[in-house]
């Protein structure tokens, strides 16, 4: 019984280490970039959630599409994203996310075009940091930018957290088992002869 | 003199051409590609007040110009806490235009420009939600002996309620389960997909609650790539002031639930519980059978489901519509299979320049939409 309770506690403690919540893609000027697949288990997952190895890189699939029935043009690029104290994000310009290798630039899409692609992210990255894939359309004096966030996680960081959980949980489970065994032994020795 | 100068000064933010030496998708070869599972779309645009693409602000000698930020959701899947977004703006300084270039030494600082809002800064329209409702199924069956002639005929019972075909074990079991008193029939079933247009009275009750029309002054200018300020030799690394235009927070408030329930009740009103293919109905025969056989069903529920499975399509409809009724349950997030809607923010760009050199000034406003 006590063993079960202990397991429950360990599981609850592990939950906060889960991934960041999913978000939606963003587009402007008829151009939209979203992760692929865009729907998983009935949920639209359109922000990028990427675990990047410390020594290596992660490859990310995406789809760029023209949501209109006419040709559209714009610029796409990877950019740095930083979260302010109020939770709002500031998005950098082209070249501000050097670890994200997104073959962007000027793009023209035919009507209703769907164009799959991949980009890579070099490690190491810090868990809890962000980048973004940006669609930018110049409309005269107005620049419209739509940013799809990339939630970054260090694969090394994930391993370290799992290791921490194991190192904390295993001794506690062993301790609980030991206590259980001692209690059983006492019951046997003090029980009716 | 100052007044004259002000009159001569026209602050016109015009186009800023931008060319980047970067790989172009235009160089790639296009092949027909079929991709499934893309989901809905969310598009963001900056428009003039009539809905046309905004390309320039003409602030005259220091006036203001309203515009609108427009976010369009099409078949968007809902998710509380998952689809928040924010829209903000930065502004470059306005530089004196000299021919096709700019005199960066002569400028109206961005701090002379600000975003304000009127009395109704935010709005939404065209809201509709695709809802797959859960319905409570209820009804009652009397003993086989006291069923109506129609039901006796459907089930193959004699006038006295005796099963005429002894090999029909499903009906026999149903009559056994009904016993001498009959009993209730209950269950939870999936309703038919409904396109609902809820009457939402508060911006905070929208599927994407709107707020964040804070506005403010562009204290620090933007020198970003693609802006007129990019070429300013006095550019600094100080981050540009970001002014809030709109925030969208995904939610399902009690107010929205009430509005959806009302819309759902209205949509289901007058519809039969089940109907033939192509005819609107509240649910389907398959859903009724599944609902009656779900875990926790009573013996009567299970027996009725078995009987329904053996009947012809016409008899299924007749039995269900004569015995059962449904009541919609309060919608939950999992019921929402798609959201369509248009969301607006109505900022006003205002300029209050301090005695600038007469001429035309160019600047660039960058409006950034971020999903978080």
């Amino acid at each position: 019984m006590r063993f079960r309770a202990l397991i429950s506690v360990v599981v609850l403690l592990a939950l906060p280490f889960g991934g960041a919540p999913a978000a939606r893609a963003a587009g402007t000027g008829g151009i939209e970039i979203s992760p692929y697949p865009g729907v998983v288990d009935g949920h639209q997952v359109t922000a990028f959630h990427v675990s990047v190895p410390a020594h290596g890189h992660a490859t990310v699939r995406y789809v760029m599409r023209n949501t209109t029935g006419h040709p559209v043009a714009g610029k796409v690029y990877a950019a740095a994203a930083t979260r302010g104290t109020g939770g709002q994000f500031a998005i950098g310009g082209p070249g501000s996310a050097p670890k994200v290798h997104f073959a962007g630039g000027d793009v023209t899409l035919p009507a209703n075009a769907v164009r799959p692609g991949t980009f890579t992210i070099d490690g190491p990255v810090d868990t809890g940091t962000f980048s973004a894939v940006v669609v930018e359309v110049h409309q005269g004096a107005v620049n419209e930018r739509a940013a799809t966030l990339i939630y970054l996680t260090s694969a090394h960081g994930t391993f370290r957290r799992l290791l921490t959980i194991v190192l904390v949980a295993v001794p506690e489970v062993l301790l609980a088992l030991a206590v259980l065994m001692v209690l059983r032994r006492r019951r046997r020795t003090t029980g009716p002869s | 003199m100052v007044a004259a100068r002000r009159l001569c000064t026209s602050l016109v933010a015009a186009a800023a051409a931008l060319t980047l030496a970067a790989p172009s998708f235009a160089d790639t070869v296009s092949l027909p590609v079929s991709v499934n599972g893309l989901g809905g779309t969310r598009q963001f645009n900056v428009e003039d007040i009539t809905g046309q693409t905004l390309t320039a602000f003409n602030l005259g000698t220091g006036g203001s110009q309203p515009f609108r930020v427009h976010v369009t959701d099409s078949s968007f899947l809902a998710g509380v806490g998952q689809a928040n977004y924010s829209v903000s703006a930065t502004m470059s300084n306005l530089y004196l235009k000299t021919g096709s270039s700019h005199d960066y030494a002569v400028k109206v600082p961005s701090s002379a420009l600000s975003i304000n809002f009127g009395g109704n800064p935010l709005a939404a329209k065209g809201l509709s939600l695709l809802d797959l409702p859960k319905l409570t199924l209820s009804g009652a069956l009397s003993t086989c002996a006291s069923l109506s002639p129609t039901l006796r005929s459907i089930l193959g019972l004699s006038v006295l309620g005796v099963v005429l075909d002894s090999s029909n074990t499903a009906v026999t079991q149903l009559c056994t389960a009904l016993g001498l008193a009959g009993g209730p029939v209950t269950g939870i079933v999936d309703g038919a997909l409904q396109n609902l247009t809820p009457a939402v009275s508060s911006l905070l009750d929208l599927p994407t609650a709107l707020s964040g029309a804070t506005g403010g002054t562009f204290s620090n200018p933007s020198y970003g790539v693609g802006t007129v300020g990019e070429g300013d030799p006095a550019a600094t690394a100080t981050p540009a002031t970001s002014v809030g235009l709109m925030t969208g927070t995904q939610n399902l408030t009690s107010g929205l639930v009430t509005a959806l329930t009302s819309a759902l009740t209205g949509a289901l009103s007058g519809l039969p519980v089940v109907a033939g293919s192509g005819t609107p109905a509240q649910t389907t025969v398959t859903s009724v059978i599944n609902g009656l056989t779900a875990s926790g069903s009573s013996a009567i529920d299970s027996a009725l489901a078995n009987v329904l499975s053996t009947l012809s399509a016409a008899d299924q409809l007749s039995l269900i519509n004569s015995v059962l009724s449904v009541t919609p349950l309060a919608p939950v997030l999992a019921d929402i299979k798609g959201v369509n809607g248009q969301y607006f923010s109505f900022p006003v760009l205002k300029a209050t320049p301090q005695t600038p050199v007469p001429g035309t000034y160019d600047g660039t406003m960058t409006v950034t939409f971020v999903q978080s």
Side-chain angles (χ1 to χ4, degrees):
Chain A
M1 196 64 177
R2 190 165 179 172
F3 179 75
R4 276 187 189 168
L6 188 60
I7 290 294
S8 299
V9 169
V10 171
V11 170
L12 285 172
L13 286 174
L15 281 176
F17 293 99
R24 304 289 193 249
T28 189
I31 303 172
E32 188 158 310
I33 292 179
S34 51
Y36 184 76
V39 178
V40 176
D41 296 332
H43 296 285
Q44 194 165 333
V45 183
T46 50
F48 298 97
H49 295 259
V50 187
S51 180
V52 185
H55 305 289
H57 67 269
T59 301
V60 184
R61 291 196 296 169
Y62 72 91
V63 165
M64 178 164 50
R65 55 177 162 166
N66 176 356
T67 62
T68 77
H70 53 82
V72 293
K75 181 186 297 296
V76 292
Y77 56 86
T82 50
R83 181 146 60 181
T85 51
Q88 78 285 7
F89 285 88
I91 307 298
S96 59
K99 290 189 173 184
V100 183
H101 302 285
F102 189 93
D106 294 327
V107 57
T108 301
L109 295 175
N112 303 309
V114 176
R115 205 170 272 181
T118 60
F119 63 89
T120 58
I121 303 175
D122 288 339
V125 299
D126 292 326
T127 295
T129 57
F130 309 90
S131 290
V133 176
V134 179
V135 177
E136 182 169 322
V137 176
H138 287 197
Q139 310 280 15
V142 180
N143 289 351
E144 295 179 10
R145 302 198 306 163
T148 302
L149 282 177
I150 306 171
Y151 291 82
L152 296 170
T153 307
S154 168
H156 180 257
T158 305
F159 174 74
R160 188 178 291 172
R161 274 198 297 277
L162 283 172
L163 188 65
T164 305
I165 292 168
V166 169
L167 287 175
V168 171
V170 168
E172 288 186 4
V173 170
L174 290 175
L175 183 65
L177 283 172
V179 169
L180 203 64
M181 288 174 70
V182 168
L183 287 174
R184 276 189 179 170
R185 232 176 239 178
R186 276 191 186 167
R187 265 188 215 153
R188 274 185 203 157
T189 53
T190 57
S193 55
Chain B
M1 183 63 176
V2 169
R5 285 179 119 181
R6 287 176 65 98
L7 282 172
C8 294
T9 304
S10 177
L11 302 175
V12 182
L18 173 66
T19 308
L20 276 186
S24 170
F25 277 96
D27 297 334
T28 59
V29 176
S30 291
L31 295 171
V33 176
S34 175
V35 182
N36 296 318
L38 294 175
T41 68
R42 172 170 280 171
Q43 278 282 314
F44 137 81
N45 296 97
V46 182
E47 302 168 342
D48 67 21
I49 215 68
T50 66
Q52 300 302 306
T53 299
L54 183 67
T55 57
F57 290 98
N58 189 341
L59 300 172
T61 56
S64 59
Q65 182 176 333
F67 63 103
R68 74 182 196 185
V69 172
H70 185 180
V71 176
T72 306
D73 284 351
S74 300
S75 302
F76 211 72
L77 289 169
V80 168
Q82 294 187 348
N84 301 341
Y85 64 78
S86 63
V87 185
S88 59
T90 58
M91 190 81 201
S92 72
N93 295 320
L94 306 186
Y95 299 95
L96 181 65
K97 196 168 183 183
T98 54
S100 59
S101 60
H102 299 94
D103 182 351
Y104 285 105
V106 183
K107 60 193 169 194
V108 173
S110 66
S111 57
L113 291 107
S114 62
I115 293 284
N116 300 298
F117 287 93
N120 296 300
L122 301 164
K125 73 169 189 178
L127 189 65
S128 69
L129 293 92
L130 213 52
D131 182 51
L132 187 66
K134 293 284 186 191
L135 310 172
T136 301
L137 192 68
S138 61
L141 282 171
S142 58
T143 64
C144 280
S146 53
L147 286 173
S148 69
T150 306
L151 288 180
R152 283 205 304 269
S153 171
I154 289 172
L155 296 175
L157 302 174
S158 71
V159 176
L160 297 175
V162 177
V163 181
L164 294 173
D165 179 2
S166 58
S167 67
N168 191 340
T169 54
V171 175
T172 303
Q173 286 171 357
L174 176 62
C175 287
T176 303
L178 291 171
L180 299 174
V185 179
T186 58
I188 304 292
V189 301
D190 285 328
L193 204 59
Q194 303 290 335
N195 190 18
L196 305 178
T197 53
V200 178
S201 56
S202 166
L203 292 173
L204 298 178
D205 285 335
L206 292 167
T208 301
L210 298 181
S211 60
T214 54
T217 300
F218 295 103
S219 304
N220 297 315
S222 164
Y223 300 103
V225 175
T227 70
V228 175
E230 182 184 4
D232 188 341
T236 68
T238 306
T241 303
S242 181
V243 173
L245 303 182
M246 176 162 61
T247 298
T249 306
Q250 209 74 19
N251 69 357
L252 186 61
T253 62
S254 58
L256 179 55
V257 169
T258 301
L260 279 172
T261 303
S262 175
L264 181 59
T265 303
L268 297 180
S269 175
L271 295 180
V273 177
V274 289
S277 177
T279 305
Q282 300 190 63
T283 184
T284 63
V285 172
T286 304
S287 293
V288 170
I289 292 173
N290 289 341
L292 291 174
T293 52
S295 63
S297 298
S298 69
I300 294 175
D301 296 336
S302 302
L304 179 60
N306 288 338
V307 168
L308 283 168
S309 301
T310 66
L311 299 180
S312 68
D315 285 346
Q316 286 174 329
L317 302 183
S318 182
L319 192 154
I320 291 170
N321 284 327
S322 62
V323 172
L324 302 174
S325 63
V326 291
T327 309
L329 291 172
V332 296
L333 195 66
D335 299 347
I336 310 301
K337 301 304 177 189
V339 178
N340 296 302
Q342 298 184 62
Y343 305 93
F344 301 93
S345 170
F346 297 100
V348 179
L349 179 63
K350 186 179 181 186
T352 51
Q354 301 294 313
T355 62
V357 174
T360 299
Y361 289 74
D362 279 354
T364 308
M365 185 171 72
T366 301
V367 184
T368 303
F369 172 97
V370 183
Q371 291 278 175
S372 59

